[in-house]
Amino acid sequence: MNTASKEKFISESTKFALAKIFNYLDPKVRQVLENQIIEYTVNNALNFSLIKTILHKDNVNLAQIYQPLTIKHKTNDGTFLIDDFKKFIENHKNISLIASGGSGKTTFIKNFYIKCVKEGYKIPVIFNFREFNQFQIKKIIKDKDITENYVFIAFTQHLLFNKIGIDSKTIEKMFDSGEFIFFLDGYDELDNKIKTSITKDFQDFVTRFNNNRFIITTRPYTSANYLDNFSNIYLSGLEDFEQITSFIHKQLYNNPSFAESIIATLKQKSSKKYLEILSNPLFLILFINAYESYPNIPPKKTQFYWQVFDALFEKHETFSKTGYRRPKLTNLDREKFEKILHTFSFISYFDELFIFSESQYEAIIRKVLTNYKYRVNPKNFLEDLKVSISILVEDGKLLSFIHRSIQEYFAAKYVDILSEDDKADFMLQLAKEQNSIKGNHTFLIELISELYPYEFKKYYIKAHIEEFYDNKEFYLTEHDNLSGYDKVFDGFENFKTILSFSKEFQKLYIDFMKTNSFTNENINIIVSSRNHQQLKLAQEILTLYENKELFYLKMSSFIKDLDESNKPILKFAFRGI
């Protein structure tokens, strides 16, 4: 890394921010820390400025392929682009950046980090929430010193490892300056067993050092939506065809003719109904990656994942300089390879291992291989996942899927291996977890609804609705504050989203709401509605509760019709017996 490259990232503003920090410190440590902080932030910015993607196996400059994304407030009409990031942060101070998987949250904050360094806006520190999963977390302690706070400990260890600060007291004084901006990525990847503890410590940390700025990222419907004094900002993805076109050109900057070919396909009338799916940057990248093999747009998300895996598995080329194509080291047929991969993904997903060490990988994979009695070298299988197929990436000593949603897709595929009874049991347990404080499986459930529509409608929806009625206290009892009711409305919105994964059941639900009402108003939930949308949700909640027996009859009839519809197929299949 040359001096000229570093100097481009250092501004007078950076030195001004450092001067304010050093007002809190002993002058003796100023010179050492100044150099270390500049080295740390600039090195990070330079690292983040180079990126590998599914389309770019070698490093490419982030600025060359970065597409600014539209953002919005849920309570405001309209969307907007950030044209002045300093003003944006100052207006909101603390931000929860919310978007579904594949929307570009991580890339968004890396781009923000680079801007902070280039423009000298505070001292940026970036951290992944999933790193807390490696901590030994004890029970919540209501009142404890800041040095016992797990978030403070994590940042202190991180900075001391990078030779910033002398000890925790020095770093505490630095944080008191208010000249830091903290980026915390992937709140939804926190282990559920520690989520409550880490969330409390994070809020205490923000309160203690409230002159700093904080940006966190999360998927929808997590506790991060309700943090005190945080603005919820939603990434909208690629808003229109113009943004989709711009994104394709940027990704394929070195192959404009290929970009034009893809855009011509998307302009076709038959493609227009799929543009909503392609507004998700990850799905658009997957489509680009598989385009040569599959130029037609698949109608379902699971088909996207199948196409990209098929393209990688069958046609991925890892050539040496002599043109030799490297074979897969495991030499497994595809059926066995997928069986191992699906099982590994299922176990790691439900163990909440979204990032894992090689020893954690080996512990799971050996169990899988023993169960199937396959004689495969775990290291060879790992090498195939990293090199031949390129769906695992290695960062230092840690491994992860190229995107968490890829792991979810393979985990969903594992369900096919289960017996009918096991599928029913799995759907019941999944519904229980989804409707508890642990629930963050919305995307996995959507994939399952596409892959196994019959089982989803027969088993999952039934269990999902039963969990709604079991959660009466959550929906109808008085909450301490308005944010408590916000959780109720968001929770019910997510509940309805999952029902919509079956279009037939969604119609049944809509028709039921049109023909039924409630009489015994629950004043708490009605009064707590702060807008028309929340009032509508409150009315639907009460309608469901007052008409429970009737709704159960409708649901039972729906499932009975579902089973009856299979009988003609069975008669046809066995007509010659």
Side-chain angles (χ1 to χ4, degrees):
M1 186 183 309
N2 58 56
T3 304
S5 297
K6 289 185 178 180
E7 285 298 326
K8 287 198 300 184
F9 280 91
I10 302 169
S11 68
E12 289 303 314
S13 300
T14 303
K15 294 177 180 177
F16 177 70
L18 288 170
K20 291 182 72 174
I21 290 172
F22 295 138
N23 288 335
Y24 288 75
L25 301 176
D26 188 322
K28 294 178 183 177
V29 302
R30 172 172 181 157
Q31 186 64 47
V32 175
L33 288 184
E34 181 174 340
N35 292 336
Q36 292 293 352
I37 291 173
I38 290 175
E39 186 84 5
Y40 164 78
T41 55
V42 170
N43 283 353
N44 274 341
L46 287 169
N47 287 337
F48 295 153
S49 67
L50 297 174
I51 188 172
K52 290 180 181 178
T53 73
I54 296 170
L55 298 175
H56 307 96
K57 302 300 185 288
D58 296 319
N59 281 331
V60 63
N61 196 306
L62 175 61
Q64 194 158 23
I65 65 171
Y66 182 72
Q67 173 71 36
L69 297 174
T70 308
I71 64 175
K72 64 180 178 181
H73 294 276
K74 194 171 184 180
T75 53
N76 296 345
D77 292 330
T79 58
F80 58 95
L81 289 169
I82 300 171
D83 51 5
D84 184 338
F85 92 100
K86 285 186 186 178
K87 183 178 178 182
F88 171 71
I89 296 171
E90 290 297 330
N91 284 347
H92 298 288
K93 188 173 182 180
N94 300 328
I95 296 164
S96 292
L97 189 70
I98 301 167
S100 58
S103 297
K105 299 183 291 295
T106 299
T107 308
F108 181 95
I109 63 169
K110 283 182 177 179
N111 185 59
F112 248 45
Y113 188 104
I114 294 167
K115 285 190 175 184
C116 285
V117 177
K118 278 188 172 180
E119 300 187 29
Y121 180 80
K122 298 189 179 291
I123 306 303
V125 177
I126 196 165
F127 197 80
N128 289 310
F129 271 109
R130 63 185 174 226
E131 293 182 42
F132 288 112
N133 297 342
Q134 311 300 320
F135 277 52
Q136 295 297 316
I137 306 293
K138 300 175 184 176
K139 289 196 301 184
I140 296 174
I141 303 171
K142 285 189 177 180
D143 299 307
K144 58 184 176 183
D145 188 85
I146 191 64
T147 56
E148 300 173 286
N149 180 292
Y150 288 113
V151 175
F152 178 81
I153 291 168
F155 283 135
T156 300
Q157 290 179 352
H158 173 76
L159 293 176
L160 289 176
F161 177 79
N162 287 281
K163 300 179 181 178
I164 295 173
I166 299 167
D167 52 31
S168 61
K169 287 296 180 187
T170 305
I171 290 174
E172 183 180 354
K173 290 177 181 178
M174 291 165 65
F175 291 164
D176 280 330
S177 71
E179 289 302 313
F180 284 81
I181 177 167
F182 296 96
F183 297 92
L184 291 99
D185 192 21
Y187 177 86
D188 50 283
E189 294 183 13
L190 264 176
D191 190 324
N192 284 311
K193 293 188 289 291
I194 65 169
K195 189 170 285 184
T196 302
S197 295
I198 295 300
T199 302
K200 183 187 182 305
D201 276 16
F202 176 66
Q203 290 184 300
D204 290 345
F205 183 88
V206 172
T207 301
R208 170 68 177 79
F209 302 110
N210 63 357
N211 288 325
N212 298 287
R213 296 289 183 268
F214 298 86
I215 298 180
I216 71 172
T217 72
T218 183
R219 288 187 181 189
Y221 308 117
T222 69
S223 302
N225 296 32
Y226 317 109
L227 294 172
D228 294 337
N229 301 314
F230 271 71
S231 300
N232 287 344
I233 304 294
Y234 294 79
L235 271 184
S236 298
L238 303 165
E239 281 284 287
D240 49 36
F241 191 75
E242 184 179 342
Q243 284 195 8
I244 289 173
T245 300
S246 173
F247 184 87
I248 294 169
H249 275 301
K250 286 185 176 182
Q251 300 305 308
L252 298 173
Y253 66 92
N254 56 349
N255 196 346
S257 61
F258 187 38
E260 286 301 330
S261 176
I262 294 171
I263 291 166
T265 299
L266 297 181
K267 283 180 179 177
Q268 295 172 7
K269 189 175 180 180
S270 59
S271 300
K272 294 193 183 302
K273 60 183 175 181
Y274 301 125
L275 293 182
E276 183 179 348
I277 294 176
L278 297 181
S279 68
N280 180 296
L282 176 65
F283 287 121
L284 186 50
I285 285 175
L286 294 181
F287 175 66
I288 294 169
N289 186 68
Y291 180 80
E292 284 184 304
S293 301
Y294 301 100
N296 296 318
I297 304 172
K300 294 182 179 180
K301 292 176 181 177
T302 49
Q303 291 170 329
F304 269 104
Y305 288 111
W306 184 89
Q307 285 186 359
V308 76
F309 178 72
D310 186 68
L312 290 169
F313 190 91
E314 300 293 348
K315 300 177 177 63
H316 182 82
E317 295 178 347
T318 310
F319 290 107
S320 68
K321 290 179 181 178
T322 60
Y324 171 71
R325 181 176 177 178
R326 176 175 180 170
K328 296 179 186 68
L329 297 178
T330 51
N331 200 29
L332 286 168
D333 64 49
R334 180 160 174 170
E335 183 180 354
K336 288 181 179 177
F337 192 98
E338 288 191 40
K339 200 171 186 180
I340 298 170
L341 176 57
H342 297 165
T343 311
F344 170 79
S345 302
F346 185 86
I347 294 171
S348 59
Y349 174 83
F350 282 103
D351 280 351
E352 297 180 333
L353 292 175
F354 308 121
I355 183 167
F356 40 89
S357 65
E358 189 168 333
S359 63
Q360 287 172 314
Y361 155 80
E362 283 203 17
I364 296 174
I365 212 71
R366 287 186 186 281
K367 190 184 299 182
V368 174
L369 293 173
T370 301
N371 185 61
Y372 293 135
K373 297 181 173 56
Y374 293 158
R375 298 186 67 180
V376 176
N377 184 317
K379 291 189 183 298
N380 286 349
F381 190 77
L382 177 60
E383 194 69 8
D384 283 348
L385 293 177
K386 289 193 301 181
V387 180
S388 296
I389 304 177
S390 301
I391 60 169
L392 280 190
V393 292
E394 192 168 18
D395 184 6
K397 294 183 178 180
L398 295 174
L399 299 157
S400 62
F401 284 85
I402 49 176
H403 194 273
R404 180 179 161 189
S405 62
I406 302 283
Q407 183 182 17
E408 288 170 298
Y409 167 70
F410 292 132
K413 290 284 285 181
Y414 170 79
V415 176
D416 192 47
I417 298 171
L418 300 175
S419 68
E420 191 71 10
D421 286 344
D422 285 343
K423 280 177 184 164
D425 288 342
F426 168 71
M427 299 285 186
L428 174 62
Q429 292 305 315
L430 186 61
K432 284 183 179 296
E433 190 160 308
Q434 176 66 16
N435 286 280
S436 71
I437 58 170
K438 297 179 180 180
N440 191 30
H441 304 302
T442 305
F443 187 66
L444 176 74
I445 295 167
E446 183 178 6
L447 297 175
I448 287 171
S449 74
E450 288 186 4
L451 290 168
Y452 321 104
Y454 173 79
E455 290 87 347
F456 173 75
K457 287 181 276 196
K458 182 172 182 178
Y459 302 127
Y460 186 86
I461 286 180
K462 184 175 184 291
H464 189 64
I465 291 165
E466 286 172 349
E467 286 302 312
F468 166 79
Y469 284 111
D470 285 346
N471 287 333
K472 183 174 182 180
E473 288 190 9
F474 170 71
Y475 284 108
L476 296 183
T477 53
E478 186 172 357
H479 290 266
D480 294 335
N481 51 48
L482 284 175
S483 67
Y485 283 107
D486 284 342
K487 291 179 185 178
V488 168
F489 295 126
D490 273 5
F492 188 68
E493 207 164 21
N494 191 30
F495 170 84
K496 283 180 61 182
T497 296
I498 290 172
L499 293 182
S500 74
F501 296 157
S502 164
K503 298 305 177 188
E504 303 97 321
F505 197 87
Q506 184 182 38
K507 182 179 184 307
L508 180 152
Y509 178 87
I510 292 169
D511 291 344
F512 187 85
M513 286 299 159
K514 286 178 181 177
T515 54
N516 292 277
S517 60
F518 62 95
T519 55
N520 184 22
E521 289 195 5
N522 181 297
I523 194 68
N524 296 322
I525 196 169
I526 293 293
V527 171
S528 67
S529 307
R530 289 188 280 177
N531 54 48
H532 178 74
Q533 175 63 16
Q534 287 187 346
L535 178 60
K536 183 174 180 294
L537 292 172
Q539 291 168 341
E540 289 184 22
I541 290 169
L542 294 173
T543 299
L544 280 184
Y545 273 114
E546 277 203 23
N547 299 277
K548 180 178 179 180
E549 289 185 11
L550 184 57
F551 192 65
Y552 262 73
L553 283 172
K554 291 282 186 184
M555 180 179 67
S556 298
S557 177
F558 174 80
I559 293 171
K560 184 173 181 292
D561 290 344
L562 187 67
D563 285 336
E564 291 289 333
S565 69
N566 281 333
K567 285 186 178 179
I569 296 172
L570 291 172
K571 286 179 181 177
F572 178 80
F574 293 100
R575 66 193 183 282
I577 296 174

